[in-house]
Amino acid sequence: MLPRTRIRGCRVLVFLFRSWKVPITPKYWFPAAPGRSWTIKGANRSLDTATATGIMDCLPRDIPNPLSAPERADPSRSEESQTPQRDQPPAGPLLGAPLLVVMAAAFAIVLPFIFLGVPSGHDFNFHLLSWMEVLGQWKQGVIYPRWASLAHWGNGEPRFIFYPPASWLLGAGLGALLPWNIVPGVYVWIALVASGISMFLLARRLLSRNNAILAAVIYLANPYHIVTVYWRSAFAELLASPLFPLLLLLVLHLERGGCRLIWALGVVLAAAWLTNAPSAIILNYSLALLLVTLCLLERSPRLLLYGAAAVVLGAMLAGFYLIPAVYEPRWVNIAELLRPSMIPQDNFLFTRRYNIHLSFNRLVSIIASTEMLILGALAWHARKSYSRQGSTWWLVLVWTAAAALLMFPITSALWQYLPKLRFVQFPWRLLLCLGVGFSLVVVAGTRRAFSRAVVCLMLLGVTLFGQHFVSLHWRHADSFQEMYGAVQNGEGYKGAAEYVPAGSDPRYEPNRQMPKVAAESDVPARIEIQEWAAESKRFTAESQQPTRLVVRLFNYPAWHVEANGRAVSADTKVITGQMVIALGAGRNRVNVVFARTWDRIAGAVISAVTFLFLLVYWKHKPLMRYFASV
């Protein structure tokens, strides 16, 4: 039994702790137990749960303990398993166990590639053939391609003007180093590792180290990523997924970082534009929602100004891609992107409207609804904890709730009238946003390993059940060799209808056997090809009378045509959209070059100036010092 003097001292200390909460230093009065540290939190410097446990363990049994029995038995339950405080320090560096676990989890996802082959989803051919063509143009000396010369069986298309460059540059770079049947697996592994790293950087601000690692693994292995890899082969969208946790991380730091984080937010938004346009649209709207919510919670309207500046900065950094992609759609049949079955109204969850991918819609609808139910149940279970956590978890919950709501037909008017939102096409793409909140809430809302295992097994079972709706297709080495051979010998491949020149029939199938240059009529003409590269064509045509030559090339306004050293205008053949050049009698030397248009020049200048300005700013006000401080 303790001496009477110590009992009285303990009673006084407990009275101060429970009633007045005066500042005290627990390390001075009671030494910390092994593995336990004393901390003082909050504006009133009241002691945390672990501190109270240490104090009450020193008291005789006749003094009531304010902690519940489960918390006395397991103090870690009240300090680790609850939702962490907003000001909790980072959970440790990335290098070491977090990076190794993330890399191992990403490898486990691509492991079936080794035994079964590469899964061939909806966009598989589009991406692989783009990578192969970019690599071929690099060998021709074209560093940054604009024209996919082998699309539409050699007629070409401006694919690389409209499709963001990050995915096809990375894919072509891997193709230059590795066999093509290995490239998709390595690409997916890189994208998943990047996703896990970005989620860990976010989660360690909110969770303990081990929980942050678990959140990173859940995010990179979430069912929508599995569907994207195995059923969709949407490689560009997968590469954009690491940007979503980074966006939330920067928004959470924006109140404290202020204008210093405008540049970081701008870089994230620019990276989104250069990776995947639908993801960039989602990110810009997500930033607006998060900032409005944060302004209401923190009563700080200046955050909206920071966000607007970041949006402008991101657009300027990506101007070399964004300005041509915005200006030149008038030259192609871009409306084909919003044809039936490709508009948001036809792709809500559990849609009953006509859709050529109805079975896939069922698969992604079941996955999305399962995630929503789990997330909602865990959020409701821990609602009292979230209400005490300030703005952090409210941002997470508002973001995920908005993403979930936009997947249902009740928001059809928003998809129709909000600027550019309809170009997202598929509302279930918002699972990229939902996945961030889902990973955090699952880890923060489950306390025991058994609960977490049940959630993970449910998601795995739902994903595997998806093969009942949509069967998987696999590609092997011979298939890759066939695709690469079609690119190497100039045979070409099927193109995208939305990139066919305006005024022509986007559903017209060009003749694969058509010569590169031929006379439109029966007038005999002798054609000799000197050069037939991706962005330059040179040939001579000799005829005894004037003739019109049909070139196996879509007549895009960026093409500049010269005949005998003088610029001539080219016509467009009806329906096919091919280039027609009128020449006089005799021998004519024709040169066709893909020229720089004013919008491409303006975009390059804006991006270069913005990038140089950013370098100067970083030199005088290093941004990395701020990140080191937080």
Side-chain angles (χ1 to χ4, degrees), residues 415-477:
W415 288 95
Q416 184 175 356
Y417 295 110
L418 286 180
K420 302 299 180 181
L421 187 60
R422 63 185 183 279
F423 284 100
V424 175
Q425 295 181 300
F426 312 119
W428 36 260
R429 274 178 165 155
L430 288 165
L431 283 168
L432 290 168
C433 303
L434 192 72
V436 177
F438 178 82
S439 304
L440 294 174
V441 171
V442 164
V443 176
T446 53
R447 301 183 177 185
R448 301 185 181 278
F450 177 77
S451 303
R452 295 172 175 177
V454 169
V455 172
C456 293
L457 289 176
M458 287 177 59
L459 297 177
L460 179 62
V462 169
T463 307
L464 294 177
F465 182 67
Q467 194 168 358
H468 173 74
F469 294 95
V470 185
S471 59
L472 288 172
H473 301 280
W474 305 89
R475 297 291 185 98
H476 301 281

Side-chain angles (χ1 to χ4, degrees), residues 15-83:
F15 177 78
L16 292 175
F17 170 71
R18 298 182 62 185
S19 302
W20 296 346
K21 297 183 179 179
V22 298
I24 57 176
T25 306
K27 291 187 294 184
Y28 180 82
W29 296 97
F30 304 99
R36 177 184 298 169
S37 60
W38 299 105
T39 59
I40 301 178
K41 296 183 179 179
N44 58 5
R45 302 178 65 86
S46 60
L47 297 180
D48 62 0
T49 306
T51 304
T53 303
I55 293 174
M56 300 309 299
D57 288 340
C58 299
L59 301 178
R61 294 184 180 181
D62 56 77
I63 299 180
N65 192 332
L67 299 180
S68 61
E71 291 172 343
R72 290 198 305 270
D74 184 10
S76 64
R77 180 179 178 183
S78 60
E79 66 175 353
E80 291 185 3
S81 58
Q82 296 292 335
T83 306

Side-chain angles (χ1 to χ4, degrees), residues 362-377:
R362 293 289 181 268
L363 163 62
V364 75
S365 298
I366 293 175
I367 288 176
S369 58
T370 303
E371 288 192 15
M372 291 176 194
L373 290 175
I374 294 175
L375 192 151

Side-chain angles (χ1 to χ4, degrees), residues 6 16 44 52 88-89 95 129 158 183 194 200 214 233 241 268 311 326-327 361 380 383 399 409 426 453 521 570:
R6 184 168 182 179
L16 292 175
N44 58 5
Q88 182 175 349
L95 297 180
L129 291 170
V183 168
F200 176 79
L214 179 60
S233 298
S241 63
V268 169
V311 170
V326 171
Y327 177 76
N361 182 273
W380 177 260
R383 63 191 183 279
W399 192 23
F426 312 119
S521 60

